[in-house]
Amino acid sequence: MDGMVASVLLDGFYGLMSWVFLGLLIFSVFCFVDAALRREDAYRAADKKTKGFWLIILGITVAVNLFLGMLFLTIAGLIANIVYMVDVRPALVQVGGGGRGGFRRGSSSDGPYGPYNGGR
């Protein structure tokens, strides 16, 4: 009976860990694709290393998550992905590297149909 309970618990744990590793893989692929789609000059303007540097780091992270699955390397890759998402990506968007889709930031006086001119 105890062996069956342990087996069920281990199956649940391994199932949970497989979902965690799948989530980490999806997160790392998203970061890699996002970094690949950003302009090279935005990296230089934001002073955040180079596009090639980030593509190598994030590409290694994708490879580790896809093929190796070693916990230490997965955690190191997760840290790299988090640094990209909370530091590099916002800086790239700020300098204009995030203009995909034609989204334009207007001034605070812009309304839904264009700039508000005060009734003039």
Side-chain angles (χ1 to χ4, degrees):
M1 180 86 166
D2 288 333
M4 189 170 64
V5 171
S7 175
V8 168
L9 289 175
L10 282 176
D11 286 344
F13 176 74
Y14 289 135
L16 175 68
M17 289 307 292
S18 66
W19 283 106
V20 168
F21 280 114
L22 179 64
L24 290 174
L25 175 65
I26 291 170
F27 183 51
S28 64
V29 168
F30 172 79
C31 290
F32 179 77
V33 170
D34 186 74
L37 294 176
R38 301 289 173 182
R39 296 186 339 235
E40 171 67 33
D41 61 338
Y43 287 88
R44 288 190 307 269
D47 197 25
K48 299 292 180 186
K49 298 285 184 189
T50 63
K51 183 176 183 175
F53 171 83
W54 282 106
L55 289 179
I56 289 171
I57 296 295
L58 297 174
I60 289 172
T61 300
V62 170
V64 164
N65 286 333
L66 194 58
F67 299 117
L68 295 178
M70 295 172 52
L71 187 61
F72 175 74
L73 294 176
T74 301
I75 291 172
L78 176 63
I79 291 170
N81 285 329
I82 291 171
V83 167
Y84 176 80
M85 287 299 289
V86 301
D87 183 40
V88 177
R89 188 172 188 260
L92 296 175
V93 171
Q94 177 121 14
V95 298
R100 291 188 310 250
F103 180 73
R104 178 187 68 87
R105 289 189 180 171
S107 72
S108 61
S109 64
D110 285 356
Y113 305 109
Y116 177 72
N117 62 10
R120 290 177 266 175

mmCIF file of all heavy atoms in Angstrom, residues 51-70:
data_model
loop_
_atom_site.group_PDB
_atom_site.id
_atom_site.type_symbol
_atom_site.label_atom_id
_atom_site.label_comp_id
_atom_site.label_asym_id
_atom_site.label_seq_id
_atom_site.Cartn_x
_atom_site.Cartn_y
_atom_site.Cartn_z
ATOM 1 N N LYS A 51 23.068 42.652 -30.168
ATOM 2 C CA LYS A 51 22.028 41.695 -30.522
ATOM 3 C C LYS A 51 22.611 40.291 -30.603
ATOM 4 O O LYS A 51 21.996 39.325 -30.132
ATOM 5 C CB LYS A 51 21.397 42.094 -31.859
ATOM 6 C CG LYS A 51 20.260 41.194 -32.280
ATOM 7 C CD LYS A 51 19.610 41.697 -33.553
ATOM 8 C CE LYS A 51 18.427 40.843 -33.936
ATOM 9 N NZ LYS A 51 17.724 41.388 -35.096
ATOM 10 N N GLY A 52 23.797 40.173 -31.164
ATOM 11 C CA GLY A 52 24.446 38.865 -31.256
ATOM 12 C C GLY A 52 24.701 38.237 -29.901
ATOM 13 O O GLY A 52 24.517 37.030 -29.714
ATOM 14 N N PHE A 53 25.132 39.046 -28.943
ATOM 15 C CA PHE A 53 25.374 38.552 -27.585
ATOM 16 C C PHE A 53 24.100 37.956 -27.002
ATOM 17 O O PHE A 53 24.102 36.835 -26.478
ATOM 18 C CB PHE A 53 25.881 39.699 -26.704
ATOM 19 C CG PHE A 53 25.958 39.356 -25.244
ATOM 20 C CD1 PHE A 53 27.062 38.681 -24.746
ATOM 21 C CD2 PHE A 53 24.936 39.707 -24.372
ATOM 22 C CE1 PHE A 53 27.142 38.357 -23.396
ATOM 23 C CE2 PHE A 53 25.004 39.395 -23.036
ATOM 24 C CZ PHE A 53 26.113 38.722 -22.541
ATOM 25 N N TRP A 54 22.998 38.702 -27.101
ATOM 26 C CA TRP A 54 21.754 38.217 -26.521
ATOM 27 C C TRP A 54 21.202 37.013 -27.278
ATOM 28 O O TRP A 54 20.617 36.113 -26.669
ATOM 29 C CB TRP A 54 20.723 39.344 -26.423
ATOM 30 C CG TRP A 54 21.023 40.226 -25.262
ATOM 31 C CD1 TRP A 54 21.556 41.477 -25.295
ATOM 32 C CD2 TRP A 54 20.870 39.886 -23.881
ATOM 33 N NE1 TRP A 54 21.740 41.937 -24.018
ATOM 34 C CE2 TRP A 54 21.330 40.986 -23.129
ATOM 35 C CE3 TRP A 54 20.399 38.773 -23.215
ATOM 36 C CZ2 TRP A 54 21.316 40.994 -21.734
ATOM 37 C CZ3 TRP A 54 20.392 38.771 -21.831
ATOM 38 C CH2 TRP A 54 20.848 39.882 -21.108
ATOM 39 N N LEU A 55 21.397 36.977 -28.594
ATOM 40 C CA LEU A 55 20.934 35.804 -29.351
ATOM 41 C C LEU A 55 21.720 34.557 -28.968
ATOM 42 O O LEU A 55 21.144 33.463 -28.879
ATOM 43 C CB LEU A 55 21.023 36.063 -30.845
ATOM 44 C CG LEU A 55 20.003 37.054 -31.402
ATOM 45 C CD1 LEU A 55 20.215 37.251 -32.893
ATOM 46 C CD2 LEU A 55 18.590 36.577 -31.126
ATOM 47 N N ILE A 56 23.009 34.699 -28.717
ATOM 48 C CA ILE A 56 23.810 33.545 -28.296
ATOM 49 C C ILE A 56 23.373 33.076 -26.911
ATOM 50 O O ILE A 56 23.133 31.873 -26.693
ATOM 51 C CB ILE A 56 25.310 33.891 -28.314
ATOM 52 C CG1 ILE A 56 25.794 34.017 -29.754
ATOM 53 C CG2 ILE A 56 26.125 32.841 -27.568
ATOM 54 C CD1 ILE A 56 27.191 34.574 -29.891
ATOM 55 N N ILE A 57 23.252 33.995 -25.960
ATOM 56 C CA ILE A 57 22.857 33.626 -24.591
ATOM 57 C C ILE A 57 21.466 32.984 -24.577
ATOM 58 O O ILE A 57 21.267 31.919 -23.982
ATOM 59 C CB ILE A 57 22.884 34.865 -23.665
ATOM 60 C CG1 ILE A 57 24.309 35.405 -23.532
ATOM 61 C CG2 ILE A 57 22.287 34.558 -22.301
ATOM 62 C CD1 ILE A 57 25.270 34.464 -22.851
ATOM 63 N N LEU A 58 20.517 33.625 -25.240
ATOM 64 C CA LEU A 58 19.156 33.094 -25.229
ATOM 65 C C LEU A 58 19.031 31.829 -26.069
ATOM 66 O O LEU A 58 18.228 30.940 -25.754
ATOM 67 C CB LEU A 58 18.183 34.176 -25.706
ATOM 68 C CG LEU A 58 18.121 35.426 -24.813
ATOM 69 C CD1 LEU A 58 17.249 36.497 -25.443
ATOM 70 C CD2 LEU A 58 17.653 35.092 -23.413
ATOM 71 N N GLY A 59 19.828 31.705 -27.124
ATOM 72 C CA GLY A 59 19.829 30.479 -27.923
ATOM 73 C C GLY A 59 20.387 29.300 -27.140
ATOM 74 O O GLY A 59 19.865 28.180 -27.227
ATOM 75 N N ILE A 60 21.441 29.537 -26.360
ATOM 76 C CA ILE A 60 21.974 28.485 -25.495
ATOM 77 C C ILE A 60 20.933 28.077 -24.461
ATOM 78 O O ILE A 60 20.770 26.893 -24.150
ATOM 79 C CB ILE A 60 23.285 28.946 -24.822
ATOM 80 C CG1 ILE A 60 24.400 29.024 -25.869
ATOM 81 C CG2 ILE A 60 23.676 28.026 -23.686
ATOM 82 C CD1 ILE A 60 25.675 29.659 -25.357
ATOM 83 N N THR A 61 20.200 29.049 -23.961
ATOM 84 C CA THR A 61 19.139 28.751 -22.986
ATOM 85 C C THR A 61 18.067 27.862 -23.603
ATOM 86 O O THR A 61 17.609 26.903 -22.976
ATOM 87 C CB THR A 61 18.513 30.066 -22.478
ATOM 88 O OG1 THR A 61 19.536 30.847 -21.867
ATOM 89 C CG2 THR A 61 17.422 29.804 -21.485
ATOM 90 N N VAL A 62 17.664 28.160 -24.840
ATOM 91 C CA VAL A 62 16.679 27.315 -25.516
ATOM 92 C C VAL A 62 17.231 25.905 -25.698
ATOM 93 O O VAL A 62 16.540 24.908 -25.446
ATOM 94 C CB VAL A 62 16.261 27.924 -26.878
ATOM 95 C CG1 VAL A 62 15.432 26.945 -27.683
ATOM 96 C CG2 VAL A 62 15.491 29.212 -26.663
ATOM 97 N N ALA A 63 18.487 25.795 -26.122
ATOM 98 C CA ALA A 63 19.093 24.478 -26.341
ATOM 99 C C ALA A 63 19.182 23.681 -25.036
ATOM 100 O O ALA A 63 18.898 22.476 -25.028
ATOM 101 C CB ALA A 63 20.476 24.643 -26.963
ATOM 102 N N VAL A 64 19.567 24.344 -23.950
ATOM 103 C CA VAL A 64 19.653 23.655 -22.663
ATOM 104 C C VAL A 64 18.279 23.164 -22.240
ATOM 105 O O VAL A 64 18.119 22.017 -21.798
ATOM 106 C CB VAL A 64 20.266 24.582 -21.581
ATOM 107 C CG1 VAL A 64 20.013 24.062 -20.182
ATOM 108 C CG2 VAL A 64 21.747 24.751 -21.820
ATOM 109 N N ASN A 65 17.267 24.011 -22.371
ATOM 110 C CA ASN A 65 15.918 23.602 -21.975
ATOM 111 C C ASN A 65 15.363 22.506 -22.878
ATOM 112 O O ASN A 65 14.589 21.671 -22.427
ATOM 113 C CB ASN A 65 14.969 24.801 -21.985
ATOM 114 C CG ASN A 65 15.194 25.723 -20.823
ATOM 115 O OD1 ASN A 65 15.659 25.315 -19.772
ATOM 116 N ND2 ASN A 65 14.884 26.992 -20.998
ATOM 117 N N LEU A 66 15.762 22.499 -24.122
ATOM 118 C CA LEU A 66 15.224 21.532 -25.074
ATOM 119 C C LEU A 66 15.932 20.189 -24.989
ATOM 120 O O LEU A 66 15.283 19.137 -25.047
ATOM 121 C CB LEU A 66 15.328 22.100 -26.487
ATOM 122 C CG LEU A 66 14.547 21.425 -27.593
ATOM 123 C CD1 LEU A 66 13.073 21.403 -27.265
ATOM 124 C CD2 LEU A 66 14.776 22.145 -28.898
ATOM 125 N N PHE A 67 17.253 20.205 -24.833
ATOM 126 C CA PHE A 67 18.008 18.968 -24.944
ATOM 127 C C PHE A 67 18.589 18.456 -23.633
ATOM 128 O O PHE A 67 18.584 17.264 -23.382
ATOM 129 C CB PHE A 67 19.149 19.133 -25.960
ATOM 130 C CG PHE A 67 18.660 19.457 -27.334
ATOM 131 C CD1 PHE A 67 18.986 20.656 -27.930
ATOM 132 C CD2 PHE A 67 17.848 18.578 -28.033
ATOM 133 C CE1 PHE A 67 18.541 20.968 -29.199
ATOM 134 C CE2 PHE A 67 17.396 18.874 -29.291
ATOM 135 C CZ PHE A 67 17.734 20.060 -29.884
ATOM 136 N N LEU A 68 19.123 19.323 -22.790
ATOM 137 C CA LEU A 68 19.832 18.848 -21.606
ATOM 138 C C LEU A 68 18.922 18.699 -20.394
ATOM 139 O O LEU A 68 18.901 17.667 -19.760
ATOM 140 C CB LEU A 68 20.996 19.786 -21.276
ATOM 141 C CG LEU A 68 22.105 19.847 -22.324
ATOM 142 C CD1 LEU A 68 23.169 20.836 -21.893
ATOM 143 C CD2 LEU A 68 22.706 18.485 -22.535
ATOM 144 N N GLY A 69 18.214 19.753 -20.047
ATOM 145 C CA GLY A 69 17.329 19.692 -18.892
ATOM 146 C C GLY A 69 18.053 19.592 -17.562
ATOM 147 O O GLY A 69 17.468 19.165 -16.580
ATOM 148 N N MET A 70 19.330 19.970 -17.513
ATOM 149 C CA MET A 70 20.064 19.943 -16.245
ATOM 150 C C MET A 70 19.610 21.120 -15.391
ATOM 151 O O MET A 70 19.523 22.250 -15.870
ATOM 152 C CB MET A 70 21.565 20.010 -16.509
ATOM 153 C CG MET A 70 22.078 18.802 -17.249
ATOM 154 S SD MET A 70 23.785 18.928 -17.774
ATOM 155 C CE MET A 70 24.636 19.363 -16.306
#
